[in-house]
Amino acid sequence: MQYQTVIIGAGAAGLMCAAQTGPGTLLLDHAKAPGEKIRISGGGRCNFTNLYAAPENFLSANPHFCKSALSRYTQWDFIAQVSEAGIAYHEKTLGQLFCDEKSVQITQMLRTAALSNGADLWLETTLDQVEKTPQGYSLRLTRRGKPLSLACANLVIATGGKSIPKIGATDFGYKIAQQFDLAVTPTRAGLVPLTFSGQVLEDLKAMAGISAPARVSANGASFDEGLLFTHRGLSGPTVLQISSYWNEGDDLRIHFAPDQDIIAALKTQRGISGRITISKALSAHLPAKLAQFLCENAGLSGNLADQNDGDLARLKTSLDALALRPAGTEGYRTAEVTLGGVNTDQLNARTLETKAHKGLYFIGEVVDVTGWLGGYNFQWAWSSAWAAGQAIRQAGQS
Ligand code: FDA
């Protein structure tokens, strides 16, 4: 059996790529349904892109690598495709676009595009062995329990990262890279809740369920969004974002309610009605348990009227620059993405084809390009898949 192109992984990138390559394409996946991550993404509404997507929103050992694909298939191209398919959407916050109804509308749109362009889709199929041949690649597969062999000129690896093994994530793509002597930048969980231990964990646990606006910084990066206290430590958008920049041993710096000058407000109140406890006064600006924790952390007790400027300066440090050292992350079990991946030095940025092996492509999350939280990772999947798909189609036509 012969196909021009075989794409491994019918997730975001694989579906998009198959819609470009068209006839002579086989898209396969070991799962029972395509696009499982699309289905569960964005709380079931898929944050499918971001209005402000730009290369600055991506982490990679080579920050320039993503520029070509992102500029040739942009968020506006995907938005046009979504609009044409009649899928209603809205901006939630910070340019993040979500479906009004269900994520599966995105999967259906891409699946329809792939199949109507002539691609075949095989589910519950695993790739057991790959070999390079003079004509391309020879594959041994198991399809619904039955072994079979086929040959192809182009092999596209779109098996994603390691995040959420429960829904089918594997390290397959990295293993194929190693088989073909391609370097893999070390992988780790990204966009993931951070865990703590010891007394810090006890303090954080006491506030589990509380959220507050916060600016969280680590390693020169900084994000302003919501922070959530959990039973294991910290989560919420601002912590997920910073987790991709955080390395073991680094402190986080937390600035609560960065848009307010709480200390100035407390000083004003001290002159007018200072006969309330300092933590009660602070709780007018922040959740009560957090206010109490910050006052204790600054060593403050008693009434607001009793606090001198030095006391309030200590509270300001606690509010504006709380230093906390995470013990680790929740890992791939809950991470939204995998940082690192197939080293981009070995890929052509315009086509995503490996430089050393004609016809072998890596697209989507398996590549060492990782986006911020907010629709950026899907945009990378669409853009990289489109770039590879177009290159394959054009090579087939020439
Ligand atoms: P993806 O993981 O989508 O697809 C890989 C496919 O390969 C899967 O279908 C898998 O079954 C298959 N596969 C793996 N190993 C295989 C093997 N050995 N044989 C055959 N098939 C194999 N991003 C974003 O921009 N907006 C959002 O709202 C969210 N939300 C979100 C929520 C959650 C809970 C997670 C875990 C992740 C997100 N993301 C996200 C990230 C986003 O889902 C992710 O970056 C893209 O799906 C990556 O697309 P890929 O196609 O590269 O991998």
Side-chain angles (χ1 to χ4, degrees):
M1 204 185 275
Q2 183 106 21
Y3 276 94
Q4 182 64 17
T5 302
V6 175
I7 303 170
I8 314 296
L15 285 163
M16 180 60 146
C17 189
Q20 312 308 312
T21 50
T25 298
L26 170 64
L27 172 61
L28 65 85
D29 202 296
H30 64 171
K32 285 192 174 137
E36 277 298 273
K37 270 194 197 161
I38 299 176
R39 183 178 63 79
I40 62 166
S41 67
R45 297 229 162 120
C46 187
N47 176 196
F48 56 81
T49 193
N50 194 293
L51 292 175
Y52 309 116
E56 296 70 51
N57 309 116
F58 294 84
L59 293 89
S60 171
N62 175 2
H64 303 293
F65 180 82
C66 62
K67 289 181 180 170
S68 173
L70 289 174
S71 68
R72 288 169 57 236
Y73 187 88
T74 68
Q75 60 269 45
W76 307 110
D77 294 314
F78 195 74
I79 293 165
Q81 199 176 334
V82 168
S83 303
E84 216 170 287
I87 300 172
Y89 63 89
H90 60 278
E91 180 186 353
K92 198 168 173 189
T93 177
L94 302 170
Q96 301 167 5
L97 300 189
F98 286 76
C99 297
D100 285 358
E101 292 172 22
K102 286 184 178 161
S103 305
V104 289
Q105 293 176 294
I106 299 289
T107 312
Q108 275 157 7
M109 173 187 85
L110 295 168
R111 181 186 177 138
T112 302
L115 298 187
S116 61
N117 281 344
D120 290 338
L121 173 62
W122 291 1
L123 297 168
E124 296 176 85
T125 305
T126 53
L127 173 55
D128 304 318
Q129 204 180 322
V130 186
E131 269 169 36
K132 200 170 174 182
T133 63
Q135 295 74 34
Y137 299 88
S138 130
L139 313 180
R140 288 242 290 272
L141 313 173
T142 305
R143 187 183 185 199
R144 296 189 172 136
K146 290 200 183 117
L148 63 102
S149 300
L150 57 83
C152 60
N154 302 303
L155 179 63
V156 182
I157 307 299
T159 46
K162 299 184 202 171
S163 314
I164 324 252
K166 212 172 60 186
I167 58 155
T170 68
D171 61 358
F172 180 82
Y174 312 117
K175 286 193 174 142
I176 292 284
Q178 277 154 1
Q179 180 188 335
F180 285 90
D181 287 328
L182 303 168
V184 174
T185 305
T187 53
R188 64 189 172 91
L191 301 181
V192 62
L194 296 172
T195 58
F196 291 79
S197 57
Q199 185 54 47
V200 182
L201 176 61
E202 295 309 311
D203 292 339
L204 299 178
K205 261 160 76 172
M207 294 183 274
I210 289 174
S211 62
R215 175 178 302 147
V216 182
S217 314
N219 267 330
S222 189
F223 291 91
D224 275 28
E225 283 181 67
L227 174 148
L228 175 71
F229 294 92
T230 72
H231 287 284
R232 308 187 75 196
L234 295 175
S235 187
T238 192
V239 170
L240 298 184
Q241 296 278 31
I242 208 68
S243 71
S244 296
Y245 291 83
W246 176 81
N247 292 310
E248 222 172 300
D250 292 339
D251 278 346
L252 300 181
R253 291 272 161 190
I254 306 178
H255 184 163
F256 290 100
D259 296 336
Q260 299 177 50
D261 190 344
I262 294 178
I263 297 299
L266 290 177
K267 281 183 178 169
T268 306
Q269 193 185 347
R270 185 177 59 182
I272 305 164
S273 55
R275 290 168 71 87
I276 57 167
T277 63
I278 175 69
S279 66
K280 184 120 202 333
L282 186 57
S283 71
H285 307 275
L286 291 170
K289 280 188 182 168
L290 174 58
Q292 192 186 336
F293 166 75
L294 291 170
C295 290
E296 282 168 11
N297 190 60
L300 304 187
S301 58
N303 280 346
L304 174 60
D306 303 331
Q307 317 300 324
N308 61 29
D309 284 356
D311 296 329
L312 292 183
R314 283 208 312 284
L315 181 59
K316 184 171 167 55
T317 306
S318 191
L319 256 173
D320 293 3
L322 183 70
L324 293 179
R325 181 167 300 180
T329 77
E330 287 190 7
Y332 294 117
R333 190 181 58 82
T334 61
E336 279 202 14
V337 285
T338 302
L339 291 152
V342 176
N343 189 304
T344 57
D345 287 351
Q346 298 157 109
L347 302 176
N348 178 325
R350 198 176 156 79
T351 63
L352 283 295
E353 188 178 20
T354 56
K355 291 174 183 167
H357 305 283
K358 187 171 159 37
L360 178 63
Y361 296 76
F362 287 83
I363 58 173
E365 198 180 313
V366 71
V367 177
D368 174 26
V369 173
T370 307
W372 289 0
L373 185 78
Y376 301 98
N377 285 294
F378 278 136
Q379 187 57 45
W380 170 247
W382 318 137
S383 297
S384 59
W386 184 91
Q390 288 293 316
I392 291 170
R393 189 154 87 179
Q394 281 159 18
Q397 284 165 354
S398 62

